[in-house]
Amino acid sequence: MAFLTTDAHLIGYQDSGETYLPALFMAHPLGMSRDVWDEVCDELHGHYRCVRWDLPGHGSSGAAAEGLTAELLARDVLALADTLDIDSFHFIGTSIGGVIGQSLCQIAPQRLEQVWLTNTGAVIGTKEAWAERADNVRRLGLAEMAEAIVPRWFSPSYVEQNPDVLQGWQVQLSRSDDESYAKLCEALAEVDNRGKLADYANGVALIAGADDVSTPVTALESLKAEFADASLSVFAGVGHVPSVEAPSLLVEHNQTHADRATVGQTGISYEQGLVQRKRILGEEHVERASKNATTLDNPFQQFITRNAWGELWGNPSLTVQQRSMITTGILAALGRDGELGLHLRTAKRLGINEDQLRQVLMHVSIYAGVPAANHAFSLAKDNGWGHATS
């Protein structure tokens, strides 16, 4: 857990930290916490650098500032990205988290890659209902209101299968700051993104829960009409928080309905491949290779950037660590020393440990021959692997 103090408030956040992976920022619903993303992050390990944070007055974040708006919450995301030195990122948000995503589409579209918005709307509820909720929270407190609020988050079937979930989230909600929650209600009362999203040029993936009573499917259908390019998927038997009720389904959707869906037909641009190549090999190596390119091999550099790095290494079917071990084993078996040295250094960068590398090279010894493995072990030591045994 880490903290960031902005001009408005204190943000408690969690960053999985893999700088070689694309960043995915994850915004949680009102009344909950960044913990709603835990299982999703576990399943996305090795595919994304997961960054999640708590809304003001929720979890480990400080109380909400005066004059809180959806745009201010979106600027919290940008401040966090700047602090972590992340230029562009993927985004997923649920409920008010989806509202934050809509604000980002308006104020910082150039920084967004794939966007998923779940269980949200261009308008959520009515001004009157949010004003009443804010007033009740200030009068009664969340501890007293939690029993009425929390059941709206989950489908009946999920509650039946997980009978303790309501009590657990009621405890979590009661620990949130009453005044911050009320301010967020008032911020939602002012949200109306109708007519404001059509200029966002990239595709947006929308997700609804068929059993969601807070933001029903119709709300997502209306939001879909606001974007120039948006898809809508409905999760059967799921309520307001798919990351809790159906994390595996959400991850599957994330992996199969991303902007790579038509890669086989359209290919990957050089710019997309270059981003992935820099993440894996490091900017210094890629810049050196680019500077050394001539009229002879420049088309080749573009070719491998698009195909090897963009299409192959960018495909989410395998993690980058898995691809690193596969590549290292193949290069060792073939005796391609120049590339093998590069990928032995890259393996360290990607977090491959000594035991894993040893097993890769042991496989080479069995399936490609002891001399090839012996040579690869020697080259690995030359590239900083291993320590003296005495």
Side-chain angles (χ1 to χ4, degrees), residues 11 37 122 126 134 150 178 227 235-236 267 270 275 277 289 326 337:
I11 301 172
W37 300 110
T126 66
V150 171
D178 294 340
F227 284 102
F235 287 3
Y270 172 78
V275 168
R277 190 178 182 186
I326 290 170
D337 286 11

Side-chain angles (χ1 to χ4, degrees), residues 59-74:
S60 57
S61 287
E66 295 296 331
L68 188 65
T69 64
E71 181 175 331
L72 181 60
L73 295 173

Side-chain angles (χ1 to χ4, degrees), residues 226-262:
E226 297 296 328
F227 284 102
D229 181 10
S231 63
L232 173 59
S233 299
V234 180
F235 287 3
V238 173
H240 190 57
V241 195
S243 60
V244 172
E245 287 197 37
S248 295
L249 180 60
L250 187 59
V251 168
E252 179 185 358
H253 188 278
N254 171 284
Q255 296 292 71
T256 58
H257 291 74
D259 54 7
R260 296 184 55 88
T262 59

